[in-house]
Amino acid sequence: MAGVLWMLLVVFCPLVLSESGDDDRYENEVTCTSTLTLKENNLTCSLNDEPHEEVKFAVLCKRSTTVCINATLGPQDFTFENLLILDKYILKVHIADEVITKEIILSKIVKIPAPEIKLATYMEDTKEVFIRFEHSHEYVSDLYFQVEIWRDKLANKLILHINYRNFRISIDRLGEAGVYYTHVRAKPEGYFDGDWSEWSSTASFTIKTNNTVHITIGCSVFLVLILILGALLWIMHIKGYFTPKHPTPESNSRTNAQDKTETHIMDTVPAQSLDACGPSCQTLQSEML
C-alpha cells in the first residue's frame, strides 16, 4: 500500500508543480495598474510579450460572486471602469487557445502621478543643497521617494531614498562646484502599493566655490575704491573754480625787490649833484618820486 502511494506521489507531483509554474508564467505575461479617484476607479492592463492583437477578449470577475464585466479593448491595452476599491477580482485574458488568469487587488497596484520639484537651491551660509517637492493624490498620502542627483555624467549619480518631501544634503556628498541636476519619483507605501511613478521634470542648481566668492568681493572693493578716487578728483577739480588765486610769496618778493631797486637808485644820487643840476634835475626828481 505504501509503495502504491509513493508511486502516485512521484507521478502526480511533477504535474502539480508544472501547473503552478504555468500559473506564475501566465500572471507575469500581463501587467495591470489601477487609477483611483473620488469619481471612479479603473483598471488598465497590457500584455508584456504577446502582441496586443492576440487578445480575443478579457473579463474581470468579482471573487465573491459570479458577476463579471467585459474589458474595453484599446490599441495598446484594455481597461475596466467603475470598479470598487475594496473588492477583489479575478482577471481572465483569452489569447488564442490559452487563458491568462491573474488576481487583482486595486489598492495594491495603484498608479500615481509623478512628483513636482518646487525648489532646488544651494545655500552658501550652510554649505548645503535644499530640495523640496510636492505630490498630490486623492487616496495615497504615504509615499516613498527616490531622488537622483548628478552633474555632467549620468554614471556618477547620487541616489537617495527618503520618506519626506524636503531635505538638505551637504556639498561634501556631491563633490566639486558646478551645475547639478536632479529629479524624483515616488511609489505608494503602507495600505496602498504600486510601482514607481514617472520621473518628475528635471531641476538644476549651482554650487559656488570660495574662490568665486573671494573674486567677487575683491572686484567689489576695487570698484568702490575707483568710485571714491573719481569723486575726490571731481571735488578737487570743482573746488579750483571757486578758490581765489592769491600771489605767491615769490611774486611778492620780486615786486618788493623792484620797488627797493627803484628807491635805491634815487638814494644813490648825491645831493650836491641835484643842487648843481638846477631846476631841470629837481623836476626829474619830482617825476620819479
Side-chain angles (χ1 to χ4, degrees), residues 205-274:
F205 57 89
T206 302
I207 296 180
K208 301 178 181 179
T209 60
N210 294 330
N211 293 334
T212 304
V213 177
H214 293 163
I215 292 174
T216 303
I217 295 175
C219 292
S220 302
V221 173
F222 182 71
L223 180 60
V224 170
L225 292 176
I226 291 178
L227 293 175
I228 293 175
L229 180 60
L232 292 175
L233 293 176
W234 181 79
I235 292 173
M236 294 176 63
H237 181 70
I238 295 298
K239 188 177 180 180
Y241 285 101
F242 298 98
T243 303
K245 296 182 179 180
H246 299 285
T248 61
E250 294 181 356
S251 62
N252 291 336
S253 63
R254 287 196 298 268
T255 303
N256 295 333
Q258 292 176 359
D259 294 341
K260 290 180 179 180
T261 302
E262 293 175 357
T263 303
H264 292 324
I265 291 175
M266 295 302 302
D267 293 340
T268 56
V269 178
Q272 294 83 2
S273 299
L274 293 176

Side-chain angles (χ1 to χ4, degrees), residues 92-138:
K92 295 182 179 181
V93 183
H94 295 261
I95 303 176
D97 296 333
E98 299 178 346
V99 178
I100 300 177
T101 303
K102 185 180 182 70
E103 183 182 40
I104 300 296
I105 302 176
L106 298 180
S107 61
K108 301 304 180 182
I109 52 174
V110 182
K111 182 179 181 180
I112 60 175
E116 181 181 359
I117 297 179
K118 290 296 185 180
L119 181 64
T121 184
Y122 168 65
M123 301 180 294
E124 294 185 5
D125 53 344
T126 60
K127 307 300 181 184
E128 293 177 323
V129 174
F130 179 75
I131 299 177
R132 179 174 66 88
F133 42 84
E134 294 182 356
H135 187 275
S136 178
H137 193 273
E138 295 178 350

Side-chain angles (χ1 to χ4, degrees), residues 49-68:
D49 299 326
E50 298 292 334
H52 182 68
E53 293 77 9
E54 296 294 329
V55 178
K56 293 183 178 180
F57 67 95
V59 295
L60 188 66
C61 305
K62 290 184 179 181
R63 173 181 280 183
S64 58
T65 65
T66 58
V67 177
C68 299

Side-chain angles (χ1 to χ4, degrees), residues 28-218:
N28 294 331
E29 288 181 355
V30 59
T31 299
C32 297
T33 58
S34 63
T35 304
L36 307 182
T37 64
L38 296 178
K39 294 182 179 180
E40 60 180 358
N41 306 311
N42 301 330
L43 178 69
T44 302
C45 300
S46 61
L47 298 179
N48 297 331
D49 299 326
E50 298 292 334
H52 182 68
E53 293 77 9
E54 296 294 329
V55 178
K56 293 183 178 180
F57 67 95
V59 295
L60 188 66
C61 305
K62 290 184 179 181
R63 173 181 280 183
S64 58
T65 65
T66 58
V67 177
C68 299
I69 56 176
N70 294 323
T72 300
L73 299 180
Q76 301 296 331
D77 50 31
F78 49 94
T79 60
F80 303 91
E81 299 179 351
N82 300 323
L83 305 178
L84 300 177
I85 296 179
L86 299 179
D87 286 344
K88 295 181 180 180
Y89 297 90
I90 299 297
L91 173 66
K92 295 182 179 181
V93 183
H94 295 261
I95 303 176
D97 296 333
E98 299 178 346
V99 178
I100 300 177
T101 303
K102 185 180 182 70
E103 183 182 40
I104 300 296
I105 302 176
L106 298 180
S107 61
K108 301 304 180 182
I109 52 174
V110 182
K111 182 179 181 180
I112 60 175
E116 181 181 359
I117 297 179
K118 290 296 185 180
L119 181 64
T121 184
Y122 168 65
M123 301 180 294
E124 294 185 5
D125 53 344
T126 60
K127 307 300 181 184
E128 293 177 323
V129 174
F130 179 75
I131 299 177
R132 179 174 66 88
F133 42 84
E134 294 182 356
H135 187 275
S136 178
H137 193 273
E138 295 178 350
Y139 284 102
V140 181
S141 59
D142 296 332
L143 297 170
Y144 187 61
F145 298 98
Q146 182 179 16
V147 182
E148 291 185 344
I149 303 174
W150 69 96
R151 194 181 176 189
D152 51 353
K153 296 181 180 180
L154 297 178
N156 298 328
K157 284 184 177 180
L158 174 64
I159 301 176
L160 305 173
H161 293 91
I162 57 178
N163 295 94
Y164 29 90
R165 289 168 170 78
N166 58 77
F167 68 98
R168 303 177 182 220
I169 180 172
S170 173
I171 61 173
D172 296 335
R173 299 189 60 182
L174 297 177
E176 58 186 2
V179 180
Y180 286 80
Y181 305 90
T182 181
H183 61 190
V184 59
R185 63 178 180 175
K187 70 185 304 292
E189 188 178 44
Y191 176 78
F192 293 97
D193 199 0
D195 291 332
W196 288 104
S197 69
E198 299 293 334
W199 287 104
S200 68
S201 300
T202 302
S204 64
F205 57 89
T206 302
I207 296 180
K208 301 178 181 179
T209 60
N210 294 330
N211 293 334
T212 304
V213 177
H214 293 163
I215 292 174
T216 303
I217 295 175

